[in-house]
């Protein structure tokens, strides 16, 4: 009986592995969660050996077919966000914040879903010299323009008072995705 959970991997063309993203590529036990790595077996023009996809998933046994399956991708081992088909790295947002004289280098990215569309809100804070509501609004417009023109996505910007932006404690603690699952 064939199930509808997971994608089949054509193991006669690709050798899949799951590795621990925290180590230097050590494979994990079968069925454990980790980073998906592919090696091409039949490519002659551009062979790829242990290509790290940065996608977190696990390999499942085959069902009616002999090829193994890959579980749904549950996250990434890096900070990349895919927003409406555009790859966005937090460092790209940080670069644009640093271009704005009225903004301090503290920010947090929040992903939300409005109806069926994903949206990104950037929470940042004003410098002491640009703390007035008018200056904060101008800095927010400037940042939104920079992000749209350089990164390629429209964002909502919330400029908080100096010291008012939430502080990040790294990827594990940062609010990255509060979209409902499913």
């Amino acid at each position: 009986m064939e199930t509808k959970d997971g994608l089949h991997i054509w193991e006669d063309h690709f050798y899949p592995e799951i590795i621990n993203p925290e180590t230097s590529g050590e494979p994990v036990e079968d069925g454990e969660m980790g980073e998906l790595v592919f090696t091409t077996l039949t490519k002659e023009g551009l062979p790829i050996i242990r290509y790290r996809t940065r996608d977190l998933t696990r390999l499942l046994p085959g069902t009616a077919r002999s090829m193994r399956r890959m579980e749904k991708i549950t996250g990434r081992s890096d900070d990349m966000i895919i927003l409406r088909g555009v790859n966005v790295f937090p460092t790209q947002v940080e670069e644009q914040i640093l271009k704005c004289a009225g903004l301090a280098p503290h920010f947090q990215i929040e992903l939300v879903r409005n109806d069926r569309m994903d949206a990104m809100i950037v929470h940042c804070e004003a410098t002491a010299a640009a703390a007035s509501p008018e200056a904060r609004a101008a800095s927010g417009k400037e940042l939104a323009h920079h992000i749209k023109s350089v990164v390629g996505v429209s964002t909502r910007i919330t400029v908080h008072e100096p010291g008012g932006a939430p502080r990040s404690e790294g990827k594990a603690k940062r609010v990255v995705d509060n979209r409902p699952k499913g």
Side-chain angles (χ1 to χ4, degrees), residues 94-156:
E94 182 178 32
E95 287 173 13
Q96 303 316 309
I97 289 172
L98 295 174
K99 288 181 182 178
C100 299
L103 296 177
H106 304 290
F107 72 99
Q108 190 174 67
I109 296 173
E110 179 183 5
L111 297 180
V112 295
R113 178 166 282 168
N114 298 327
D115 297 321
R116 293 182 357 199
M117 291 293 290
D118 291 337
M120 184 167 76
I121 303 170
V122 176
H123 296 274
C124 54
E125 67 183 51
T127 59
S132 71
E134 298 81 20
R136 289 188 355 226
S139 294
K141 282 180 114 175
E142 179 185 1
L143 178 58
H145 172 74
H146 285 314
I147 292 173
K148 175 67 175 170
S149 62
V150 175
V151 181
V153 294
S154 297
T155 60
R156 241 177 36 221

Side-chain angles (χ1 to χ4, degrees), residues 20-178:
N20 182 344
E22 314 265 320
T23 66
S24 58
E26 297 297 320
V28 300
E29 295 293 322
D30 277 347
E32 282 189 39
M33 185 67 68
E35 180 181 336
L36 181 62
V37 174
F38 281 115
T39 297
T40 59
L41 301 174
T42 57
K43 283 274 194 195
E44 293 180 18
L46 181 64
I48 296 174
I49 299 172
R50 295 196 90 202
Y51 173 74
R52 294 183 70 170
T53 64
R54 303 288 182 192
D55 294 325
L56 297 177
T57 187
R58 64 188 183 111
L59 293 177
L60 305 171
T63 54
R65 299 176 188 174
S66 60
M67 308 288 178
R68 285 192 292 177
R69 295 172 297 131
M70 176 184 98
E71 192 176 60
K72 178 181 170 186
I73 294 172
T74 59
R76 298 214 21 107
S77 64
D78 61 5
D79 284 339
M80 186 177 78
I81 300 164
I82 301 174
L83 181 67
R84 295 189 303 267
V86 178
N87 297 347
V88 179
F89 288 92
T91 53
Q92 293 174 301
V93 173
E94 182 178 32
E95 287 173 13
Q96 303 316 309
I97 289 172
L98 295 174
K99 288 181 182 178
C100 299
L103 296 177
H106 304 290
F107 72 99
Q108 190 174 67
I109 296 173
E110 179 183 5
L111 297 180
V112 295
R113 178 166 282 168
N114 298 327
D115 297 321
R116 293 182 357 199
M117 291 293 290
D118 291 337
M120 184 167 76
I121 303 170
V122 176
H123 296 274
C124 54
E125 67 183 51
T127 59
S132 71
E134 298 81 20
R136 289 188 355 226
S139 294
K141 282 180 114 175
E142 179 185 1
L143 178 58
H145 172 74
H146 285 314
I147 292 173
K148 175 67 175 170
S149 62
V150 175
V151 181
V153 294
S154 297
T155 60
R156 241 177 36 221
I157 308 295
T158 303
V159 181
H160 299 273
E161 293 179 1
R167 296 295 193 257
S168 173
E169 294 183 25
K171 183 176 179 176
K173 304 267 184 199
R174 185 178 55 191
V175 176
V176 173
D177 189 349
N178 66 355

